[in-house]
Amino acid sequence: MEDVDVLIVGAGPVGLLLGTELQRDGITVRVIDRMPARGFFCKALGVTPRTLEIFDNLGIVDRAIEAGVWLTGVETWVDAAIVPARSMHMPEHGLPYGSLSLAQYETERLLEAAFAEHGGHVSYGYTLDSFSETEDAIEARLTGPQGEARTLRCRWLVGCDGAGSKVRSALGLSFEGEKFPQTFALADVDVDWAFPRGPMYRFEWSDAARANASLAAVPVRGSTRRYRLSMIVQEARAASLVGVAAPDFDTMSALLLPSLPQGTRLSSMRWSSVYRVSHRIAPAYGKGRVFIAGDAAHIHPPVGGQGMNTGLQDAHNLAWKLALVAKGCAGPELLASYSLERHPVGLDVVQSTSAALNAVLARKAANPAMRETQLLITYRGSAIVSDGWPHVAPELPAPGDRLPDVGGLSQRFVGYARRLHEFIGNGRHTLLGYVDAPGEQYDAFVEGCRALAALLPGAASAVLVAAPGCEVQGNELMTVLTDSANEFADTFGAPGGMVWIVRPDGHIGWRSCDCSGDRVSNFCEQYERLRRAV
């Protein structure tokens, strides 16, 4: 097989996103999967606002919205009566996106199509048997679809191969945690009832026959009656399901109907599953030239729909770092920041979802909050972010934070409003500046643009936001926008001349109260220093 920069083991959502971003950035990739073809199971469903921002950056967010169903709220029903204190309507405005119900096979279809658009191809039917690492490469031994032995050399290997990860095991990384005693059941079915389409429903009962049999119903696109039903199976019934991976329709109906409102009818079951859940996390997300991401690195209860999204954001964090090192713009030490930034996020998700499951079991499940949007995840304190203007209000966007989106921006010769996020990402570091007077502020920003472009050739861009009435002459080094509604200045607390560097993953890497080529170079020096150290 042809040598590549990166071998990705596992063509689920995490592996496909990683492959797509790397391929877009000009890094050669091979994605393999032991399955003979892509699956069509409705497993992970919820897509968070933060993940939709990543899809927007890849150019597939509109396709995802078209293939999904917006979740309009959460309704909790106890003994056939709604509980207002445990129910809520999702806000229609105020966030970049809402929460989307999107079947996992649709997520995979969209990501695989994006991977193909960038020249990628999934090699199905290939199994990773073993690998060995040398000073400058990995030699991976594979078995192909016809049982043939293949060898592939790559510079890095990433295991996106699930909870039973062969890559993680080969690295000798433990998977610390334990299995919950509860049994869960899932079914993708049509539900005939009187409840309106849109919310996620939770049903609980206080009678002894149904106590602890909490059931959730999430709408799925494809039919106005299609839902993914999930429930915690009562202990007395769980024993009869031991060894049954995919119960038939009659068995699932007998499990589900007692916990659904009276008169509900089920039909057209497409898929079912019975399983146990664990909460586990690896102590590190890689060793040397080998990394793990997604379920290979962390697993937890499905409460809150955080799992797939957390894995996708692992890939989003790792991709730009691999690309920068592969292009020679940074040394391999940059890759150590992947585990240092993402492991705390994974640990927080494992702990919070485990606590959320215990709340469900105690019939005290909370409503989704801002943390579930994943917009608040921050890398403040990371070794690869720095602050040249630390003595400001802590609530303002700071290095390590996700860059807030800002609307109401205008651009010359464009007849509609622009958004800040349209101009960041795409595998590039972006120098972002704000000016409220022409002259020195503008000249300093131009100097910073030239410095960033020289330090990160082919992986840098620049956006200058001007205050209303501040006329500056743009050039091909930058995109110039006007803060027509003062939304940018209000969001960032920005004085004239302030600058930020935004990483390719949309997080702020650096800020300063003024710009110069030297200041930009000082930030990038950490990448240059890592490269020189090799």
Side-chain angles (χ1 to χ4, degrees), residues 193-328:
W193 58 8
F195 287 79
R197 185 83 161 165
M200 181 192 90
Y201 293 97
R202 293 189 293 225
F203 300 103
E204 299 172 0
W205 308 88
S206 60
D207 59 278
R210 292 178 290 186
N212 299 324
S214 176
L215 185 146
V218 181
V220 183
R221 193 176 186 91
S223 159
T224 56
R225 297 186 300 162
R226 186 180 180 184
Y227 285 81
R228 204 282 306 279
L229 304 183
S230 60
M231 71 174 297
I232 301 170
V233 181
Q234 290 176 293
E235 188 174 348
R237 305 201 67 172
S240 65
L241 298 171
V242 174
V244 180
D248 61 23
F249 176 73
D250 290 339
T251 301
M252 290 305 298
S253 294
L255 276 175
L256 297 166
L257 282 172
S259 296
L260 286 162
Q262 188 173 6
T264 298
R265 291 180 295 175
L266 306 178
S267 61
S268 303
M269 187 173 80
R270 300 162 184 84
W271 173 73
S272 69
S273 177
V274 174
Y275 63 100
R276 299 266 301 279
V277 298
S278 299
H279 57 102
R280 302 182 187 277
I281 188 167
Y285 285 7
K287 285 184 181 180
R289 292 178 171 272
V290 184
F291 303 91
I292 54 175
D295 286 356
H298 46 76
I299 56 171
H300 50 82
V303 182
Q306 302 286 291
M308 180 185 71
N309 294 281
T310 302
L312 289 169
Q313 290 158 45
D314 290 344
H316 193 51
N317 182 283
L318 179 59
W320 72 266
K321 297 171 181 177
L322 280 171
L324 213 60
V325 176
K327 292 175 180 178

Side-chain angles (χ1 to χ4, degrees), residues 375-399:
L375 297 170
L376 302 181
I377 290 171
T378 182
Y379 305 129
R380 289 192 186 192
S382 167
I384 62 166
V385 305
S386 58
D387 198 349
W389 196 42
H391 305 300
V392 294
E395 64 271 15
L396 291 176

Side-chain angles (χ1 to χ4, degrees), residues 56 96-97 405-409 417-423 481:
D56 188 8
Y97 294 99
D405 201 3
V406 170
L409 302 171
R418 307 306 299 259
R419 294 169 36 241
L420 182 59
H421 277 202
E422 293 179 62
F423 302 96
L481 305 170

Side-chain angles (χ1 to χ4, degrees), residues 488-501:
F488 183 94
D490 291 344
T491 299
F492 289 89
M498 190 168 179
V499 287
W500 303 256
I501 290 179

Side-chain angles (χ1 to χ4, degrees), residues 4 46 50 56 109 111 134 155 162 167 210 223 226 264 281 284 286 294 296 311 315 321 336 362 370 392 447 461 518:
V4 294
R50 178 60 183 138
D56 188 8
R109 176 182 65 83
L111 287 170
T134 64
R155 297 170 68 187
V167 174
R210 292 178 290 186
S223 159
R226 186 180 180 184
T264 298
I281 188 167
K321 297 171 181 177
M370 268 300 292
V392 294
E447 184 183 336
S461 63
D518 287 343

Side-chain angles (χ1 to χ4, degrees), residues 1-4 7 30 32 126-132 138-144 148-154:
M1 300 181 76
E2 187 174 326
D3 294 352
V4 294
L7 170 63
R30 170 82 66 170
I32 65 169
Y126 281 85
T127 301
L128 174 70
D129 297 321
S130 63
F131 60 87
S132 55
I138 298 283
E139 188 171 279
R141 290 164 285 280
L142 315 175
T143 298
E148 69 276 21
R150 298 288 183 90
T151 299
L152 181 146
R153 279 177 59 86
C154 57

